[in-house]
């Protein structure tokens, strides 16, 4: 049997570039004569912008610190041990860069076992142990504290979570076993499963205390001082920590069943992590911690070697790293300042854009439209949303007043845009309308002003063709809802210059959007792929496959919503318009569904009614459908849909619509909410052999979103 030190030395050798966290031990005298205390501080030597992580060498350092305090505790020279982090950060879990490098199951097993062996020493000391969650704590950081006897948390903690399931792992250093035994299975399911699968929802400090994870809650300003006073009171017997009894009866089983329902609704059995975590939580009911830790080790090793986890890490890296350095963006020094924004249109989309520019840039924003009533409605919408933010305490009265004063509406474009640096149009999706709008704006806006279009499928070059200065026209395509979806497709027209493009990227960054540079090709990236995807589903239905079979066929992908529910959200008329645009561009691959046309002509909002609370095919829509007699199974439907998507992405990459497959995946994750465990989609297409079958080669190099060879 290898010792912990040997396990960690072996693991550290596999990960030479680890950002190492030190575990500094210092001693202090607790208040009120409570005795001498050892405090371990986790610190990687960088400021809070580089959060503390836990890799093999970092675990070894914590192990060495525990050697020291274990000896002191056994000698009786200390009364307790505390663990805390550097300013603003406790610890944010395992270092994923190291996980990516693992090639063998036994190395993955060593990582799980090494973490358990170190952390559980905290609960085995001869004195009580205390975790002081002073800042962000995630994954392994949270688990360090779970192994301690007591925990305190700062009200200022902005983010606290066990996000492993979101990435395709399980909380593997005690989270699945210790958390339900501490706060009960139902609350543990909320933290481990529900929050993770809801886009990695974070807890604030007060919620951590409310859930019973922490025994005490203190203000951020003097958090450590208050925690040490509380520690002294606990050790002196002045404070008794009382925790609610955990229900190990039927409630435990019901909690696990609820977790399975959540997992089914989110990933439809398509990704294993949530189910593995729930199996361990179910087993933890008997309170046998070591049995739980062994199960965590096995699950962790299996999942580390799985394609879903590698796709999850790939997705994480796209969103965290590639998104910050957009491929092909010009030098940012070319960007011009934007001190005033104009919005053409005052409908819902235009009003959402006005609100976003106002909140993020805090510069004057002016809306225009064809009549005063529309202008007033647009400005009224923005004011109403600011009032909501005020009501929720997200901004104060001064800020609300300032923002409201910055937004205005006028009918005359000359009055509104004469000093604007950036004008964006959000008018009807028709090329003639947009050309007319841009001609009017160019006549009155300054020569340096960027003219941006929020078109979802039309040619930016064609829109700019008749202007004196087509070089300043750029596509700036947002996704609905604007406040929620991070993606912004920035489209370079044939004559767009570098300064205009650089300004667009600089504005996108201030808007806190994920900007991806795309070529001026029909429907750009997301809408082109989604239209091909939806088009194939509609083809299958038109040919004769029942609607419910076609819908169920794509459930294994674990998409945020089914194709026809998505169509309802987009609006059938818009879906039809985009499919017509793409059919004109690529008639051999994009069809216009006669059934979708009939649904739009009948004025239906979608295919479903929700009388029972669940989607059911609208009888009026069912009566409109004209189907052939070719019926496919779910498996055949899925195969056809995936082949269509793989073909389209291959063609888009050949056309240079984006720089690489990674940009396609970044767009699908941030613009369409496609799951991390698919890696957007290209890793999944590679993993399932579809890329090879359709295009003759995979999209990604081996090891990019898969286990390295």
């Amino acid at each position: 049997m290898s010792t912990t030190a040997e396990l960690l030395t072996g693991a550290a050798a596999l990960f030479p570039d680890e950002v190492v966290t030190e575990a500094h031990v210092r001693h202090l005298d607790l208040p009120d004569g409570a005795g001498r205390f050892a405090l371990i501080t986790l610190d990687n030597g960088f400021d809070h912008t580089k959060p503390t992580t836990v890799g093999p060498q970092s675990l070894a350092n914590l192990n060495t610190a525990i050697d020291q305090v274990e000896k002191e505790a056994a000698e009786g020279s200390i009364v307790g041990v505390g663990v805390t982090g550097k300013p603003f950060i406790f610890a944010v879990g395992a270092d994923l860069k190291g996980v990516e490098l693992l090639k063998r199951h036994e190395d993955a097993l060593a990582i799980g076992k090494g973490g358990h062996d170190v952390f559980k020493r905290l609960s085995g000391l001869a004195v009580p142990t205390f975790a002081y969650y002073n800042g962000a704590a995630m994954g392994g950081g949270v688990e360090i504290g779970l192994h301690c006897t007591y925990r305190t948390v700062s009200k200022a903690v902005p983010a606290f979570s066990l996000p492993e399931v979101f990435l395709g792992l399980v909380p593997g250093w005690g989270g699945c076993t210790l958390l339900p035994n501490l706060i009960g299975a139902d609350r543990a399911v909320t933290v481990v499963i529900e929050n993770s699968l809801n886009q990695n929802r974070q807890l604030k400090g007060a919620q951590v205390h409310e859930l019973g994870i922490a025994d005490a809650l203190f203000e951020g300003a003097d958090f450590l001082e208050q925690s040490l006073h509380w520690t002294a009171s606990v050790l002196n017997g002045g404070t008794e920590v009382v925790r609610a009894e955990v229900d190990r009866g039927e409630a435990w089983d019901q909690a696990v069943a609820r977790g399975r329902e959540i997992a089914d609704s989110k990933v439809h059995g398509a990704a294993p992590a949530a189910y593995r975590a729930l199996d361990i939580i179910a087993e933890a009911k008997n309170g046998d911690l070591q049995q739980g830790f062994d199960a965590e080790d096995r699950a962790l090793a299996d999942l580390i070697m799985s394609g879903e986890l590698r796709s999850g890490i790939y997705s994480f890296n796209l969103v965290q790293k590639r998104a910050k350095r957009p491929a092909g963006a010009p030098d940012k020094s070319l960007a011009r300042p934007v001190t005033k924004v104009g919005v053409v249109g005052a409908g819902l989309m235009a009003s959402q854009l006005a609100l976003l520019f106002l909140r993020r840039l805090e510069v004057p924003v002016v809306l225009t439209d064809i009549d005063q009533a529309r202008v007033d409605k647009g400005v009224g919408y923005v004011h109403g949303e600011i009032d909501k933010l005020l009501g929720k305490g997200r901004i104060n009265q001064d800020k609300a007043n300032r923002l409201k004063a910055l937004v205005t509406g006028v009918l005359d474009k000359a009055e509104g845009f004469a000093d604007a640096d950036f004008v964006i149009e959000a008018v009807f999706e028709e090329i003639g309308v947009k050309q007319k709008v841009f001609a009017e704006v160019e006549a009155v806006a300054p020569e340096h002003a960027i003219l941006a279009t929020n078109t979802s499928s039309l040619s930016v070059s064609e829109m700019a063709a008749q202007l004196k200065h087509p070089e300043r026209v750029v596509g700036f395509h947002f996704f609905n809802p604007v406040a929620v979806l991070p993606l912004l497709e920035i489209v370079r027209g044939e004559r767009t210059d570098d300064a205009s493009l650089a300004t667009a990227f600089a504005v996108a960054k201030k808007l806190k959007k994920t900007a991806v540079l795309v070529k001026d090709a029909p429907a750009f990236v997301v809408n082109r792929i989604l239209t091909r995807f939806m088009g194939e589903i509609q083809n299958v239905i038109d040919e004769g496959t029942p609607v419910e079979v076609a819908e169920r066929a794509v459930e294994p992908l674990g998409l945020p919503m089914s194709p026809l529910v998505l169509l309802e959200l987009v609006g059938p008329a818009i879906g039809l318009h985009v499919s017509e645009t793409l059919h004109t561009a690529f008639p051999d691959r994009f069809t216009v569904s006669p059934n979708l046309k009939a649904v739009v002509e009948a004025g239906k909002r979608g295919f479903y009614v929700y009388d029972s609370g669940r989607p059911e095919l609208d009888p009026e829509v069912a009566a409109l459908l004209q189907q052939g007699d070719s019926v496919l199974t779910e498996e055949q439907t899925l195969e056809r849909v995936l082949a269509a998507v793989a073909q389209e992405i291959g063609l888009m990459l050949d056309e240079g619509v984006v720089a690489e497959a990674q940009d396609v995946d970044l767009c699908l994750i941030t613009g369409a909410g496609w799951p991390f465990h698919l890696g957007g989609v290209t890793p999944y297409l590679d993993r399932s052999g579809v890329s090879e079958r359709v295009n003759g080669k995979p999209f990604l190099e081996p090891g990019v979103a898969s286990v390295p060879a």
Side-chain angles (χ1 to χ4, degrees), residues 618-687:
D618 183 340
E620 291 178 16
V621 169
L624 292 171
L625 295 183
Q626 304 222 336
Q627 295 181 280
D629 52 12
S630 172
V631 179
L632 299 187
T633 64
E634 289 176 27
E635 292 74 18
Q636 289 167 323
T637 302
L638 180 60
E639 202 169 303
R640 220 173 108 174
V641 169
L642 292 177
V645 169
Q647 182 194 33
E648 204 57 42
I649 293 171
L651 291 165
M652 288 164 67
L653 292 171
D654 290 346
E655 291 167 28
V657 175
V658 286
E660 291 181 290
Q662 282 90 330
D663 293 312
V664 170
D665 292 322
L666 181 58
C667 285
L668 286 171
I669 291 164
T670 56
W674 280 33
F676 264 38
H677 66 76
L678 292 184
V681 77
T682 69
Y684 176 81
L685 294 171
D686 287 355
R687 200 163 72 228

Side-chain angles (χ1 to χ4, degrees), residues 531-545 550 564 579 587-596 626-632 637 640-641 644:
T531 304
R532 186 77 198 273
F533 171 82
M534 305 273 285
E536 211 52 50
I537 294 275
Q538 278 161 343
N539 289 344
V540 167
I541 292 170
D542 292 352
E543 289 163 20
T545 300
L564 294 182
S579 67
D588 55 327
R589 299 193 311 280
F590 287 85
T591 53
V592 177
S593 163
N595 281 320
L596 178 57
Q626 304 222 336
Q627 295 181 280
D629 52 12
S630 172
V631 179
L632 299 187
T637 302
R640 220 173 108 174
V641 169

Side-chain angles (χ1 to χ4, degrees), residues 133 145-151 175 177-185 187-188 208 211-215 241 243-246 248 252 289:
Y133 292 124
L146 295 179
H147 284 270
C148 293
T149 325
Y150 304 100
R151 286 154 296 280
T177 302
L178 293 172
L179 193 63
N181 278 293
L182 175 68
I183 63 173
R187 288 177 164 195
V208 174
L211 283 167
I213 300 171
D215 302 302
V241 174
R243 297 184 185 132
E245 197 175 331
V246 170
R248 296 183 186 280
W252 195 290
L289 299 185

